[in-house]
Amino acid sequence: MSHPTGSTRTDDLSVQHGPGPVASPGPKRTDESVGQLVSQLTEQMSRLVRDEVQLAKIDLTEKGKKAGIGLGMFTGAGLMAFFGVGALVTTAILALSHAVSGWLAALIVAVVLFAIAAVLGLIGKKEVQQATPPVPQAAVDGIKQDVQAVKEGFHR
């Protein structure tokens, strides 16, 4: 089927934006029974919870992707640093072997490296203990806003 130039057929397309359909004004509150209101509240709360869970999933997925890329970059940097440190250790042993025998030079460098590793390990342990678990902040903020809106609705 051909369409005139510049026109778009939209009569069979439906696009939905946001978490769900927009509620129509409908009948006044006084016209609805308590049962209908409770039914609507239950339906809206169910939709709200589903939407918040979906938002949390999206938020955690995005954070997971970014964390994965960052961890990959840190892994590459760590690998290069590992080889660089190996070359520096070899250089230190060779330089020190001019003053003492080779085995003693290697032992001295190893003791220094183990001391540095112990200090770094203790600092790392402290940092990990202070870390907080990842939280889907957008979902938490949304839930807080929803709870506040419900509270305001009940106080009216």
PDB file of all heavy atoms in Angstrom, residues 15 21 42 65 68 87 92 95 109 112 144 153 155:
ATOM      1  N   VAL A  15       1.949   3.445  20.585  1.00  0.00           N
ATOM      2  CA  VAL A  15       3.190   3.658  21.313  1.00  0.00           C
ATOM      3  C   VAL A  15       2.818   4.036  22.733  1.00  0.00           C
ATOM      4  O   VAL A  15       1.958   4.887  22.946  1.00  0.00           O
ATOM      5  CB  VAL A  15       4.034   4.776  20.674  1.00  0.00           C
ATOM      6  CG1 VAL A  15       5.284   5.025  21.478  1.00  0.00           C
ATOM      7  CG2 VAL A  15       4.370   4.409  19.241  1.00  0.00           C
ATOM      8  N   PRO A  21      -0.593   2.803  31.279  1.00  0.00           N
ATOM      9  CA  PRO A  21      -1.551   3.729  30.702  1.00  0.00           C
ATOM     10  C   PRO A  21      -1.906   4.826  31.701  1.00  0.00           C
ATOM     11  O   PRO A  21      -1.905   4.619  32.909  1.00  0.00           O
ATOM     12  CB  PRO A  21      -2.757   2.842  30.378  1.00  0.00           C
ATOM     13  CG  PRO A  21      -2.598   1.636  31.219  1.00  0.00           C
ATOM     14  CD  PRO A  21      -1.125   1.477  31.468  1.00  0.00           C
ATOM     15  N   THR A  42      -5.458  -2.074  44.774  1.00  0.00           N
ATOM     16  CA  THR A  42      -4.691  -3.317  44.679  1.00  0.00           C
ATOM     17  C   THR A  42      -4.049  -3.441  43.298  1.00  0.00           C
ATOM     18  O   THR A  42      -2.875  -3.784  43.180  1.00  0.00           O
ATOM     19  CB  THR A  42      -5.612  -4.520  44.939  1.00  0.00           C
ATOM     20  OG1 THR A  42      -6.228  -4.364  46.216  1.00  0.00           O
ATOM     21  CG2 THR A  42      -4.844  -5.821  44.901  1.00  0.00           C
ATOM     22  N   LYS A  65      27.063  -3.797  33.845  1.00  0.00           N
ATOM     23  CA  LYS A  65      27.833  -3.640  32.612  1.00  0.00           C
ATOM     24  C   LYS A  65      29.015  -2.704  32.823  1.00  0.00           C
ATOM     25  O   LYS A  65      30.133  -2.985  32.402  1.00  0.00           O
ATOM     26  CB  LYS A  65      26.941  -3.098  31.490  1.00  0.00           C
ATOM     27  CG  LYS A  65      25.970  -4.112  30.934  1.00  0.00           C
ATOM     28  CD  LYS A  65      25.100  -3.504  29.853  1.00  0.00           C
ATOM     29  CE  LYS A  65      24.071  -4.498  29.359  1.00  0.00           C
ATOM     30  NZ  LYS A  65      23.181  -3.882  28.348  1.00  0.00           N
ATOM     31  N   GLY A  68      31.611  -4.399  34.927  1.00  0.00           N
ATOM     32  CA  GLY A  68      32.333  -5.411  34.152  1.00  0.00           C
ATOM     33  C   GLY A  68      33.403  -4.804  33.266  1.00  0.00           C
ATOM     34  O   GLY A  68      34.525  -5.311  33.190  1.00  0.00           O
ATOM     35  N   ALA A  87      59.943  -7.233  36.121  1.00  0.00           N
ATOM     36  CA  ALA A  87      61.168  -6.692  35.516  1.00  0.00           C
ATOM     37  C   ALA A  87      61.945  -5.844  36.523  1.00  0.00           C
ATOM     38  O   ALA A  87      63.174  -5.909  36.590  1.00  0.00           O
ATOM     39  CB  ALA A  87      60.818  -5.863  34.288  1.00  0.00           C
ATOM     40  N   ALA A  92      66.399  -5.144  40.455  1.00  0.00           N
ATOM     41  CA  ALA A  92      66.869  -4.922  41.822  1.00  0.00           C
ATOM     42  C   ALA A  92      67.787  -6.054  42.275  1.00  0.00           C
ATOM     43  O   ALA A  92      68.825  -5.820  42.916  1.00  0.00           O
ATOM     44  CB  ALA A  92      65.677  -4.790  42.772  1.00  0.00           C
ATOM     45  N   ALA A  95      71.120  -5.707  40.459  1.00  0.00           N
ATOM     46  CA  ALA A  95      71.893  -4.571  40.971  1.00  0.00           C
ATOM     47  C   ALA A  95      72.469  -4.890  42.348  1.00  0.00           C
ATOM     48  O   ALA A  95      73.630  -4.578  42.643  1.00  0.00           O
ATOM     49  CB  ALA A  95      71.012  -3.327  41.042  1.00  0.00           C
ATOM     50  N   VAL A 109      65.418  -8.893  48.432  1.00  0.00           N
ATOM     51  CA  VAL A 109      64.334  -8.333  47.614  1.00  0.00           C
ATOM     52  C   VAL A 109      63.017  -9.044  47.932  1.00  0.00           C
ATOM     53  O   VAL A 109      61.958  -8.402  48.040  1.00  0.00           O
ATOM     54  CB  VAL A 109      64.689  -8.410  46.114  1.00  0.00           C
ATOM     55  CG1 VAL A 109      63.489  -8.054  45.249  1.00  0.00           C
ATOM     56  CG2 VAL A 109      65.858  -7.498  45.799  1.00  0.00           C
ATOM     57  N   VAL A 112      61.531  -7.739  51.238  1.00  0.00           N
ATOM     58  CA  VAL A 112      60.948  -6.401  51.038  1.00  0.00           C
ATOM     59  C   VAL A 112      59.596  -6.517  50.331  1.00  0.00           C
ATOM     60  O   VAL A 112      58.617  -5.854  50.709  1.00  0.00           O
ATOM     61  CB  VAL A 112      61.926  -5.500  50.250  1.00  0.00           C
ATOM     62  CG1 VAL A 112      61.254  -4.209  49.815  1.00  0.00           C
ATOM     63  CG2 VAL A 112      63.162  -5.200  51.087  1.00  0.00           C
ATOM     64  N   LYS A 144      10.577   5.405  47.510  1.00  0.00           N
ATOM     65  CA  LYS A 144      10.376   6.434  48.528  1.00  0.00           C
ATOM     66  C   LYS A 144       9.341   7.452  48.063  1.00  0.00           C
ATOM     67  O   LYS A 144       8.471   7.860  48.835  1.00  0.00           O
ATOM     68  CB  LYS A 144      11.702   7.129  48.852  1.00  0.00           C
ATOM     69  CG  LYS A 144      12.645   6.274  49.662  1.00  0.00           C
ATOM     70  CD  LYS A 144      13.956   7.011  49.931  1.00  0.00           C
ATOM     71  CE  LYS A 144      14.931   6.136  50.699  1.00  0.00           C
ATOM     72  NZ  LYS A 144      16.213   6.819  50.908  1.00  0.00           N
ATOM     73  N   GLY A 153      -1.963  10.633  49.816  1.00  0.00           N
ATOM     74  CA  GLY A 153      -3.302  10.276  49.338  1.00  0.00           C
ATOM     75  C   GLY A 153      -4.210   9.822  50.463  1.00  0.00           C
ATOM     76  O   GLY A 153      -5.402  10.111  50.472  1.00  0.00           O
ATOM     77  N   HIS A 155      -3.999  10.813  53.561  1.00  0.00           N
ATOM     78  CA  HIS A 155      -4.221  11.920  54.495  1.00  0.00           C
ATOM     79  C   HIS A 155      -5.238  12.927  53.965  1.00  0.00           C
ATOM     80  O   HIS A 155      -5.665  13.810  54.674  1.00  0.00           O
ATOM     81  CB  HIS A 155      -2.909  12.654  54.816  1.00  0.00           C
ATOM     82  CG  HIS A 155      -1.967  11.830  55.648  1.00  0.00           C
ATOM     83  ND1 HIS A 155      -2.327  11.265  56.847  1.00  0.00           N
ATOM     84  CD2 HIS A 155      -0.676  11.469  55.443  1.00  0.00           C
ATOM     85  CE1 HIS A 155      -1.317  10.599  57.340  1.00  0.00           C
ATOM     86  NE2 HIS A 155      -0.284  10.699  56.509  1.00  0.00           N
TER      87      HIS A 155
END
